[in-house]
Amino acid sequence: MGFIFKGFGSSGTFAHGVHPPERKGFSDGAPIEVIPPPKKVMLPLLQHVGAPAKPAVKPKTDVVLGDKIAEPGGFVSTAHHATISGKVMKTGIVTLTNGRHVPAIPIKAGNEEQLSGQALWEDIFGGEWPRDVDNYSSKEIVDAISAAGIVGLGGAAFPTHVKFVPNEKKPVHTVLVNACECEPYLTADYRMMLEASAPIITGALLAGRAANTKNIIIGIEDNKPKAVEVMKKAAAGTGITIAVLKTKYPQGSEKQLIMAVTGKEVPLGGLPLDVGIAVSNVSTVAAIARAVVRKKPLTHRVVTVTGAGIKNPKNLLVPIGISIGELIEYCGGLTKDAARLISGGPMMGFAFANLDAPVTKGTSGITVLTHKDVQKEDETNCVRCGRCVDVCPMNLVPTKLALASRHKDIELAERYNIMACFECGSCAYACPASLPIVQLVRTGKAVVIAASKK
């Protein structure tokens, strides 16, 4: 597969990064299945970046699929909606896969028939999708995104409407749709491109319309030739460009994706808007299409359940708030040698053990590793080889950050820009001393944030 960068003004890649084993073969050939409706969902009020949402319903209220149950808690926040029909129960506390304890609204399924199976798929992704979106205004699109409670479905969970609110000081000239899915094992976005390309194209056009630009690019890594072929065909005649990128981790990070596609560098501590670009995940733009065209909120998402530790790896369309244990059970359960559960992929995901943890809007996958997968070398002293520096895509010095964190040296951590690290894990992957660099950086960030609030 050749690279298509004539006219992009870039090299089609970014500096540094690593090439971990992809291991997408567990699930990339599995068509998306619609999981049967659960008897109960738990909907966290904080499953996004920003302020927690505020309950908009009282216990014992009857709701139907799509009813709003929580209001945004601020501008950088989002609404949440019922993902099954039933009765609202008393607000409780739920533990997320990252270990945070947050309030959540439970909904117990009622006796009424739930939308399910092929009917649910058709309601969300099926049917005709318009390619002429000029009849929608920018404000109309942004308002619909906000009302639908859409966040970045690639895992960041940043409220999407914030990216597309018109900003005269920082106008957007390019909408970049992130279809890289560079994290090993995960295949949800890949299957979305194969099976739901029409709403993706409509959503990308609407995102461009919201940002007042017709320069729309979908970036796909060259390890997904079938997706490239499908998306090129779907985008034909729309003006959308498909950029086929050299496969490298972490290409799916928005700053690295921007560099690879446009050659522009987002300033350290800055945002894509600082270089006139809005980035949105490929599944997110499909949700935008549904919100704007069909006036339907975000209630479901596609989750990959994969790895050698799961009996039947699958890609599943699931209601937000369903327990992760139900997903694993639907996939036949764990194998005898299953050793570690990870929310997301092995590079940026969080290990967890609580199967009652709910799927949130940011849950892109569940990876189950075996004892063989997680065999670990003993940690030794840093040998000062510099490999972590060589692979860091942010040009940081990871060992300095880890050292500062280990000694709770806030001044040193800030001097080496610890908050600029987005925890891609490239440093830990490359480290011959098996230092837990990412874990130390996470701890260091927490210490810096706590100190700033004093």
Side-chain angles (χ1 to χ4, degrees):
M1 178 68 63
F3 299 123
I4 306 174
F5 284 96
K6 187 176 181 180
F8 282 84
S10 69
S11 63
T13 188
F14 60 93
H16 310 298
V18 293
H19 294 275
E22 297 175 7
R23 295 181 179 169
K24 292 179 182 287
F26 287 104
S27 58
D28 62 358
I32 299 169
E33 296 182 32
V34 182
I35 200 168
K39 295 180 179 178
K40 178 183 175 183
V41 292
M42 287 288 284
L43 295 163
L45 293 173
L46 183 57
Q47 49 180 311
H48 53 269
V49 173
K54 298 177 181 177
V57 291
K58 295 182 179 178
K60 300 183 180 180
T61 301
D62 291 321
V63 294
V64 298
L65 174 65
D67 280 354
K68 185 190 292 184
I69 61 162
E71 300 276 2
F75 176 62
V76 183
S77 182
T78 190
H80 299 302
H81 302 79
T83 58
I84 59 172
S85 299
K87 190 178 291 294
V88 174
M89 311 300 286
K90 184 179 179 181
T91 300
I93 300 294
V94 69
T95 303
L96 304 180
T97 54
N98 61 8
R100 294 189 70 176
H101 305 293
V102 300
I105 297 177
I107 299 176
K108 185 178 179 181
N111 295 324
E112 63 270 47
E113 185 176 354
Q114 304 280 346
L115 191 61
S116 62
Q118 187 61 29
L120 179 64
W121 174 268
E122 291 296 324
D123 183 74
I124 296 177
F125 298 122
E128 299 293 324
W129 293 93
R131 293 158 68 92
D132 181 358
V133 299
D134 287 349
N135 55 321
Y136 296 101
S137 70
S138 175
K139 183 179 185 306
E140 189 177 0
I141 296 168
V142 173
D143 288 348
I145 294 171
S146 178
I150 297 173
V151 303
L153 298 183
F158 187 81
T160 302
H161 67 277
V162 177
K163 296 183 177 181
F164 294 105
V165 171
N167 185 337
E168 293 183 358
K169 295 181 179 178
K170 297 180 180 179
V172 172
H173 57 70
T174 299
V175 167
L176 186 51
V177 178
N178 186 350
C180 290
E181 200 169 47
C182 63
E183 180 78 39
Y185 287 93
L186 304 187
T187 56
D189 287 347
Y190 173 69
R191 294 305 313 187
M192 279 289 293
M193 287 188 278
L194 295 188
E195 302 178 53
S197 59
I200 290 172
I201 293 299
T202 297
L205 292 168
L206 287 164
R209 180 73 176 159
N212 292 313
T213 179
K214 291 187 178 298
N215 189 27
I216 304 167
I217 305 170
I218 300 177
I220 309 173
E221 289 190 329
D222 65 352
N223 62 350
K224 304 175 184 66
K226 290 183 180 177
V228 171
E229 181 182 351
V230 170
M231 294 307 297
K232 280 185 175 178
K233 185 176 180 181
T238 64
I240 294 175
T241 307
I242 307 297
V244 186
L245 303 160
K246 181 180 178 181
T247 298
K248 186 163 65 167
Y249 181 88
Q251 188 103 251
S253 162
E254 58 186 12
K255 292 178 181 177
Q256 279 59 51
L257 180 60
I258 289 170
M259 172 58 73
V261 175
T262 71
K264 295 182 181 298
E265 181 175 0
V266 178
L268 193 66
L271 297 170
L273 285 178
D274 293 327
V275 292
I277 297 174
V279 182
S280 234
N281 169 266
V282 69
S283 294
T284 308
V285 296
I288 290 175
R290 186 172 185 245
V292 176
V293 176
R294 299 183 177 174
K295 316 299 182 191
K296 298 287 185 70
L298 177 63
T299 58
H300 292 67
R301 67 156 299 147
V302 178
V303 177
T304 301
V305 184
T306 186
I310 196 83
K311 287 185 177 177
N312 301 304
K314 296 178 183 288
N315 298 289
L316 301 173
L317 179 63
V318 307
I320 293 158
I322 189 174
S323 75
I324 289 173
E326 288 174 271
L327 272 57
I328 291 174
E329 183 179 353
Y330 185 78
C331 292
L334 303 175
T335 61
K336 289 183 179 179
D337 56 347
R340 183 177 298 170
L341 294 160
I342 299 174
S343 178
M347 296 298 285
M348 291 192 71
F350 291 87
F352 70 100
N354 176 19
L355 294 180
D356 291 330
V359 169
T360 65
K361 294 179 179 180
T363 305
S364 55
I366 303 298
T367 305
V368 185
L369 303 179
T370 64
H371 289 286
K372 182 180 178 182
D373 292 328
V374 299
Q375 285 181 345
K376 184 180 177 183
E377 300 288 338
D378 291 336
E379 179 182 339
T380 64
N381 291 330
C382 174
V383 295
R384 293 178 172 77
C385 63
R387 291 186 188 177
C388 60
V389 178
D390 289 341
V391 300
C392 178
M394 294 300 292
N395 295 313
L396 303 176
V397 186
T399 49
K400 291 289 186 184
L401 299 178
L403 185 67
S405 175
R406 184 162 273 171
H407 293 282
K408 296 182 171 55
D409 189 334
I410 296 174
E411 183 181 347
L412 183 65
E414 291 185 313
R415 192 192 313 159
Y416 280 92
N417 297 304
I418 192 169
M419 300 309 290
C421 172
F422 63 92
E423 304 166 20
C424 70
S426 295
C427 51
Y429 176 78
C431 178
S434 299
L435 297 176
I437 300 175
V438 176
Q439 289 88 339
L440 287 168
V441 167
R442 284 174 179 160
T443 301
K445 282 183 172 180
V447 172
V448 170
I449 292 171
S452 69
K453 293 179 178 178
K454 289 182 180 178

